[in-house]
Amino acid sequence: MRLATWNVNSVKARLPRLLDWLAETEPDILCLQETKCAAAAFPAAEVGKLGYAAAAHGDGRWNGVAILSKVGLDDVTLSFPGEPGFAEPGFAEPGEDGPPGLATLDEDGERGPLAELGAVCPEARAIGATCGGLRVWSLYAPNGRTVDSPHYAYKLAWFAALRDALAAETAAPLVACGDYNVAPTDADVWDPALFVGSTHVTPAERKALADLRALGLHDVVPTPMKGPHPFTYWDYRAGMFHQNKGMRIDLVYAGADVTARVRSAYVDREARKGKGPSDHAPIVVDLHP
DNA sequence: ATGTCGCTTGTAAAGCGA
Protein backbone atom coordinates (compact mmCIF):
# COMPACT_ATOMS: atom_id res chain seq x y z
CA MET A 1 0.00 0.00 0.00
CA ARG A 2 1.43 3.33 -1.09
CA LEU A 3 0.14 6.53 0.52
CA ALA A 4 1.19 10.04 -0.45
CA THR A 5 0.46 13.68 0.37
CA TRP A 6 1.17 16.73 -1.79
CA ASN A 7 0.38 20.41 -1.63
CA VAL A 8 0.02 21.00 -5.37
CA ASN A 9 -0.61 24.77 -5.29
CA SER A 10 -3.53 24.67 -7.75
CA VAL A 11 -4.68 21.37 -9.19
CA LYS A 12 -5.59 23.14 -12.41
CA ALA A 13 -2.17 24.69 -12.94
CA ARG A 14 -0.50 21.44 -11.87
CA LEU A 15 -2.74 18.97 -13.71
CA PRO A 16 -0.22 17.79 -16.36
CA ARG A 17 2.46 17.30 -13.73
CA LEU A 18 -0.01 15.68 -11.34
CA LEU A 19 -1.12 13.16 -13.96
CA ASP A 20 2.47 12.36 -14.93
CA TRP A 21 3.41 11.97 -11.28
CA LEU A 22 0.46 9.67 -10.56
CA ALA A 23 1.30 7.46 -13.53
CA GLU A 24 4.94 7.26 -12.47
CA THR A 25 4.57 6.95 -8.71
CA GLU A 26 1.32 5.00 -8.56
CA PRO A 27 0.22 5.78 -5.01
CA ASP A 28 -2.88 3.91 -3.86
CA ILE A 29 -4.00 6.96 -1.92
CA LEU A 30 -3.05 10.60 -2.49
CA CYS A 31 -3.96 13.50 -0.22
CA LEU A 32 -3.92 16.86 -2.01
CA GLN A 33 -3.85 20.35 -0.54
CA GLU A 34 -4.20 23.84 -1.97
CA THR A 35 -6.17 22.55 -4.91
CA LYS A 36 -7.61 26.08 -5.33
CA CYS A 37 -10.45 24.38 -7.11
CA ALA A 38 -14.20 24.25 -6.59
CA ALA A 39 -15.33 20.72 -5.80
CA ALA A 40 -17.49 20.66 -8.93
CA ALA A 41 -14.52 21.72 -11.08
CA PHE A 42 -12.12 19.10 -9.74
CA PRO A 43 -10.57 17.09 -12.61
CA ALA A 44 -12.19 13.85 -11.49
CA ALA A 45 -12.47 12.47 -15.03
CA GLU A 46 -8.76 12.98 -15.72
CA VAL A 47 -7.61 11.21 -12.56
CA GLY A 48 -10.36 8.65 -13.13
CA LYS A 49 -8.63 7.56 -16.32
CA LEU A 50 -5.67 6.57 -14.15
CA GLY A 51 -7.92 4.49 -11.91
CA TYR A 52 -8.54 6.95 -9.11
CA ALA A 53 -11.76 7.81 -7.38
CA ALA A 54 -11.71 11.40 -6.14
CA ALA A 55 -13.33 13.32 -3.33
CA ALA A 56 -12.80 17.08 -3.29
CA HIS A 57 -13.64 19.96 -0.98
CA GLY A 58 -13.14 23.49 -2.22
CA ASP A 59 -14.68 26.86 -2.96
CA GLY A 60 -12.52 27.45 -6.02
CA ARG A 61 -10.35 30.32 -4.94
CA TRP A 62 -8.04 29.54 -2.06
CA ASN A 63 -7.38 26.48 0.05
CA GLY A 64 -9.08 23.32 -1.21
CA VAL A 65 -8.28 19.70 -0.32
CA ALA A 66 -8.93 16.35 -1.95
CA ILE A 67 -8.31 12.63 -1.62
CA LEU A 68 -7.63 10.31 -4.55
CA SER A 69 -7.85 6.57 -4.05
CA LYS A 70 -7.54 3.32 -5.96
CA VAL A 71 -8.50 1.28 -2.91
CA GLY A 72 -11.94 2.59 -2.06
CA LEU A 73 -13.25 5.99 -1.04
CA ASP A 74 -16.02 5.74 1.52
CA ASP A 75 -17.51 7.76 4.34
CA VAL A 76 -16.26 11.05 2.90
CA THR A 77 -16.31 13.88 5.41
CA LEU A 78 -15.97 17.53 4.40
CA SER A 79 -14.54 19.64 7.22
CA PHE A 80 -14.40 18.17 10.73
CA PRO A 81 -16.75 18.63 13.67
CA GLY A 82 -16.10 21.95 15.40
CA GLU A 83 -13.80 23.26 12.69
CA PRO A 84 -13.71 27.04 12.97
CA GLY A 85 -13.85 29.37 10.00
CA PHE A 86 -11.96 32.63 9.81
CA ALA A 87 -15.00 34.75 9.07
CA GLU A 88 -16.34 34.50 12.58
CA PRO A 89 -16.45 36.62 15.68
CA GLY A 90 -13.17 36.31 17.47
CA PHE A 91 -11.08 36.38 14.33
CA ALA A 92 -12.18 38.69 11.54
CA GLU A 93 -13.48 42.19 12.15
CA PRO A 94 -16.66 43.19 10.34
CA GLY A 95 -15.87 43.62 6.68
CA GLU A 96 -12.43 42.09 6.98
CA ASP A 97 -12.05 39.00 4.82
CA GLY A 98 -14.77 36.45 4.42
CA PRO A 99 -18.24 36.89 3.05
CA PRO A 100 -19.91 40.14 4.13
CA GLY A 101 -22.34 39.59 6.95
CA LEU A 102 -20.59 36.53 8.33
CA ALA A 103 -17.81 38.44 10.02
CA THR A 104 -19.61 40.02 12.92
CA LEU A 105 -18.94 40.90 16.52
CA ASP A 106 -21.35 40.19 19.33
CA GLU A 107 -24.30 42.57 19.69
CA ASP A 108 -22.47 44.48 22.41
CA GLY A 109 -19.39 44.74 20.21
CA GLU A 110 -17.34 42.24 22.20
CA ARG A 111 -15.58 39.27 20.72
CA GLY A 112 -17.14 36.08 21.96
CA PRO A 113 -15.03 33.33 23.56
CA LEU A 114 -13.92 30.71 21.10
CA ALA A 115 -15.86 28.04 22.95
CA GLU A 116 -19.10 29.75 22.03
CA LEU A 117 -18.31 29.99 18.35
CA GLY A 118 -20.28 27.97 15.91
CA ALA A 119 -18.81 26.81 12.62
CA VAL A 120 -20.28 29.66 10.61
CA CYS A 121 -18.16 29.34 7.50
CA PRO A 122 -15.27 26.87 7.68
CA GLU A 123 -12.74 27.17 4.93
CA ALA A 124 -11.99 24.14 2.73
CA ARG A 125 -9.09 22.80 4.80
CA ALA A 126 -10.06 19.24 5.70
CA ILE A 127 -11.46 16.19 4.00
CA GLY A 128 -11.61 12.70 5.40
CA ALA A 129 -12.36 9.33 3.84
CA THR A 130 -11.99 5.63 4.48
CA CYS A 131 -9.64 4.09 1.91
CA GLY A 132 -8.31 0.56 1.92
CA GLY A 133 -9.14 0.12 5.58
CA LEU A 134 -7.47 3.37 6.63
CA ARG A 135 -9.19 6.47 7.94
CA VAL A 136 -7.42 9.16 5.91
CA TRP A 137 -7.44 12.93 6.38
CA SER A 138 -6.08 15.49 3.95
CA LEU A 139 -5.43 18.69 5.89
CA TYR A 140 -4.37 22.21 5.02
CA ALA A 141 -3.71 24.19 8.18
CA PRO A 142 -4.12 27.98 8.20
CA ASN A 143 -0.87 29.83 7.53
CA GLY A 144 -1.16 32.23 10.48
CA ARG A 145 0.68 35.04 8.71
CA THR A 146 2.18 36.81 11.75
CA VAL A 147 1.94 36.10 15.46
CA ASP A 148 -0.04 39.29 16.10
CA SER A 149 -2.52 38.54 13.30
CA PRO A 150 -6.05 37.26 13.92
CA HIS A 151 -5.06 34.58 11.40
CA TYR A 152 -2.60 33.26 13.98
CA ALA A 153 -5.28 32.94 16.67
CA TYR A 154 -7.44 31.25 14.07
CA LYS A 155 -4.63 28.82 13.27
CA LEU A 156 -4.28 27.80 16.91
CA ALA A 157 -8.04 27.45 17.33
CA TRP A 158 -8.16 25.32 14.17
CA PHE A 159 -5.52 22.98 15.57
CA ALA A 160 -7.35 22.70 18.90
CA ALA A 161 -10.54 21.73 17.09
CA LEU A 162 -8.62 19.29 14.90
CA ARG A 163 -7.21 17.61 17.99
CA ASP A 164 -10.68 17.12 19.41
CA ALA A 165 -12.01 15.80 16.10
CA LEU A 166 -9.18 13.31 15.61
CA ALA A 167 -9.47 12.19 19.24
CA ALA A 168 -12.88 10.79 18.30
CA GLU A 169 -11.35 8.67 15.51
CA THR A 170 -8.38 7.02 17.18
CA ALA A 171 -10.14 3.67 17.29
CA ALA A 172 -9.69 3.39 13.51
CA PRO A 173 -6.35 2.96 11.67
CA LEU A 174 -5.81 6.68 11.33
CA VAL A 175 -3.49 8.76 9.17
CA ALA A 176 -3.69 12.55 9.05
CA CYS A 177 -1.64 13.93 6.17
CA GLY A 178 -1.12 17.38 4.83
CA ASP A 179 0.34 20.84 4.96
CA TYR A 180 0.42 21.63 8.68
CA ASN A 181 2.20 24.95 8.20
CA VAL A 182 4.28 24.18 11.30
CA ALA A 183 7.92 23.09 11.37
CA PRO A 184 8.08 20.59 14.25
CA THR A 185 11.66 21.39 15.30
CA ASP A 186 14.40 23.90 14.56
CA ALA A 187 16.02 21.26 12.35
CA ASP A 188 12.97 21.54 10.11
CA VAL A 189 13.83 25.03 8.85
CA TRP A 190 16.96 25.93 6.92
CA ASP A 191 18.00 28.73 9.29
CA PRO A 192 16.26 28.81 12.68
CA ALA A 193 17.74 32.22 13.52
CA LEU A 194 15.82 33.76 10.64
CA PHE A 195 12.55 32.42 12.01
CA VAL A 196 12.75 33.91 15.48
CA GLY A 197 9.50 35.80 15.98
CA SER A 198 7.85 34.24 12.94
CA THR A 199 4.95 31.87 12.64
CA HIS A 200 5.47 28.18 11.82
CA VAL A 201 8.04 27.73 14.63
CA THR A 202 6.41 29.20 17.75
CA PRO A 203 6.07 27.15 20.95
CA ALA A 204 2.28 27.40 20.68
CA GLU A 205 2.26 25.95 17.16
CA ARG A 206 4.67 23.20 18.13
CA LYS A 207 2.53 22.48 21.19
CA ALA A 208 -0.43 22.04 18.83
CA LEU A 209 1.53 19.31 17.06
CA ALA A 210 2.55 17.77 20.38
CA ASP A 211 -1.11 17.67 21.36
CA LEU A 212 -1.83 15.67 18.20
CA ARG A 213 1.02 13.28 19.00
CA ALA A 214 -0.41 12.91 22.50
CA LEU A 215 -3.42 11.27 20.85
CA GLY A 216 -1.08 8.48 19.76
CA LEU A 217 -0.30 9.91 16.34
CA HIS A 218 3.29 9.41 15.22
CA ASP A 219 5.27 11.77 13.01
CA VAL A 220 6.34 9.61 10.05
CA VAL A 221 9.50 11.51 9.13
CA PRO A 222 10.41 10.89 5.49
CA THR A 223 13.90 10.26 4.17
CA PRO A 224 15.29 13.30 2.36
CA MET A 225 16.55 12.65 -1.14
CA LYS A 226 19.30 15.22 -0.67
CA GLY A 227 20.97 16.70 2.39
CA PRO A 228 20.23 15.97 6.04
CA HIS A 229 16.83 17.67 6.28
CA PRO A 230 13.60 16.18 4.90
CA PHE A 231 12.30 19.53 3.73
CA THR A 232 9.01 19.49 1.85
CA TYR A 233 8.61 23.16 0.93
CA TRP A 234 10.87 25.72 -0.71
CA ASP A 235 9.77 29.24 -1.56
CA TYR A 236 9.64 29.96 -5.27
CA ARG A 237 11.71 33.09 -4.79
CA ALA A 238 15.43 33.70 -4.70
CA GLY A 239 16.57 30.26 -5.74
CA MET A 240 15.54 28.77 -2.43
CA PHE A 241 15.12 25.27 -3.79
CA HIS A 242 18.45 25.39 -5.58
CA GLN A 243 20.11 26.33 -2.28
CA ASN A 244 18.03 23.78 -0.37
CA LYS A 245 16.68 26.51 1.91
CA GLY A 246 13.46 24.72 2.75
CA MET A 247 11.10 23.78 5.53
CA ARG A 248 9.47 20.57 6.69
CA ILE A 249 5.88 21.64 7.11
CA ASP A 250 4.08 18.83 5.29
CA LEU A 251 3.58 15.97 7.71
CA VAL A 252 2.20 12.45 7.92
CA TYR A 253 0.75 11.79 11.36
CA ALA A 254 -0.12 8.13 11.71
CA GLY A 255 -1.83 6.12 14.42
CA ALA A 256 0.02 3.27 16.11
CA ASP A 257 -1.27 0.53 13.84
CA VAL A 258 -0.46 2.46 10.68
CA THR A 259 2.94 3.45 12.05
CA ALA A 260 3.74 -0.20 12.70
CA ARG A 261 3.09 -0.88 9.02
CA VAL A 262 5.48 1.80 7.68
CA ARG A 263 8.06 0.20 5.43
CA SER A 264 9.64 3.42 4.18
CA ALA A 265 8.89 7.07 3.53
CA TYR A 266 10.60 9.66 1.37
CA VAL A 267 10.32 13.21 0.09
CA ASP A 268 9.92 13.15 -3.68
CA ARG A 269 12.26 16.04 -4.28
CA GLU A 270 12.31 15.31 -8.01
CA ALA A 271 8.75 16.58 -8.21
CA ARG A 272 9.96 20.04 -7.09
CA LYS A 273 12.33 20.30 -10.06
CA GLY A 274 11.89 21.41 -13.63
CA LYS A 275 9.35 23.69 -15.24
CA GLY A 276 6.17 24.58 -13.43
CA PRO A 277 6.51 22.72 -10.12
CA SER A 278 4.48 23.24 -6.97
CA ASP A 279 6.47 24.93 -4.21
CA HIS A 280 5.91 21.75 -2.14
CA ALA A 281 7.23 18.25 -2.79
CA PRO A 282 5.14 15.13 -2.20
CA ILE A 283 5.78 12.73 0.67
CA VAL A 284 5.45 9.07 -0.30
CA VAL A 285 4.88 6.39 2.36
CA ASP A 286 4.97 2.67 1.69
CA LEU A 287 3.07 0.45 4.10
CA HIS A 288 3.35 -3.27 4.68
CA PRO A 289 0.10 -5.08 3.81
C1' DA B 1 14.80 35.06 1.34
C1' DT B 2 11.03 39.02 0.43
C1' DG B 3 13.95 37.85 -5.84
C1' DT B 4 7.87 33.89 -7.67
C1' DC B 5 3.90 31.86 -8.40
C1' DG B 6 -1.45 31.37 -8.94
C1' DC B 7 -5.61 33.44 -8.24
C1' DT B 8 -8.94 37.23 -8.94
C1' DT B 9 -11.03 41.28 -11.05
C1' DG B 10 -14.04 46.96 -14.01
C1' DT B 11 -10.20 40.98 -19.56
C1' DA B 12 -4.97 44.87 -18.03
C1' DA B 13 -2.21 45.74 -14.44
C1' DA B 14 -2.54 45.19 -9.68
C1' DG B 15 -3.80 43.33 -5.31
C1' DC B 16 -3.83 39.38 -2.49
C1' DG B 17 -2.12 35.15 -0.31
C1' DA B 18 1.53 32.05 0.39
Side-chain angles (χ1 to χ4, degrees), chain A residues 6 8 10-24 30 32 42-43 47 50 68:
Chain A
W6 192 9
V8 286
S10 170
V11 73
K12 183 180 177 184
R14 216 67 57 212
L15 188 59
R17 288 187 67 125
L18 171 63
L19 296 176
D20 287 349
W21 186 86
L22 284 171
E24 179 180 1
L30 174 62
L32 294 168
F42 191 87
V47 298
L50 296 174
L68 310 184

Side-chain angles (χ1 to χ4, degrees), chain A residues 45-266:
Chain A
E46 288 85 345
V47 298
K49 290 176 183 171
L50 296 174
Y52 291 93
H57 182 26
D59 62 15
R61 206 185 205 185
W62 293 312
N63 315 311
V65 286
I67 298 175
L68 310 184
S69 176
K70 286 180 167 179
V71 290
L73 191 61
D74 301 312
D75 303 320
V76 173
T77 303
L78 308 185
S79 180
F80 53 78
E83 184 183 13
F86 181 72
E88 294 177 7
F91 303 117
E93 299 288 351
E96 175 192 357
D97 296 288
L102 284 177
T104 56
L105 298 180
D106 293 344
E107 289 181 6
D108 56 3
E110 298 294 323
R111 295 183 176 206
L114 297 180
E116 295 180 7
L117 298 178
V120 177
C121 184
E123 299 173 317
R125 297 185 177 277
I127 187 170
T130 300
C131 309
L134 305 180
R135 184 61 180 168
V136 180
W137 283 94
S138 179
L139 304 169
Y140 176 50
N143 175 283
R145 302 190 185 182
T146 59
V147 294
D148 57 353
S149 163
H151 291 268
Y152 179 74
Y154 165 54
K155 181 178 191 175
L156 296 178
W158 187 90
F159 271 113
L162 175 66
R163 194 218 75 92
D164 291 345
L166 293 181
E169 296 205 344
T170 53
L174 184 61
V175 59
C177 306
D179 179 355
Y180 282 72
N181 268 316
V182 180
T185 73
D186 277 354
D188 296 314
V189 297
W190 81 92
D191 185 352
L194 283 175
F195 281 83
V196 173
S198 299
T199 61
H200 295 60
V201 301
T202 65
E205 289 165 286
R206 288 174 172 170
K207 174 64 160 50
L209 295 184
D211 289 344
L212 294 176
R213 294 193 298 272
L215 297 176
L217 296 173
H218 174 76
D219 184 355
V220 180
V221 180
T223 302
M225 287 169 65
K226 180 181 178 183
H229 304 289
F231 296 147
T232 62
Y233 162 82
W234 303 260
D235 196 294
Y236 282 124
R237 293 168 287 190
M240 299 292 273
F241 178 69
H242 189 68
Q243 302 171 69
N244 200 24
K245 293 180 176 178
M247 305 171 72
R248 185 171 79 96
I249 54 176
D250 300 271
L251 306 174
V252 175
Y253 268 29
D257 28 20
V258 178
T259 300
R261 289 175 55 191
V262 173
R263 181 204 305 262
S264 61
Y266 68 96

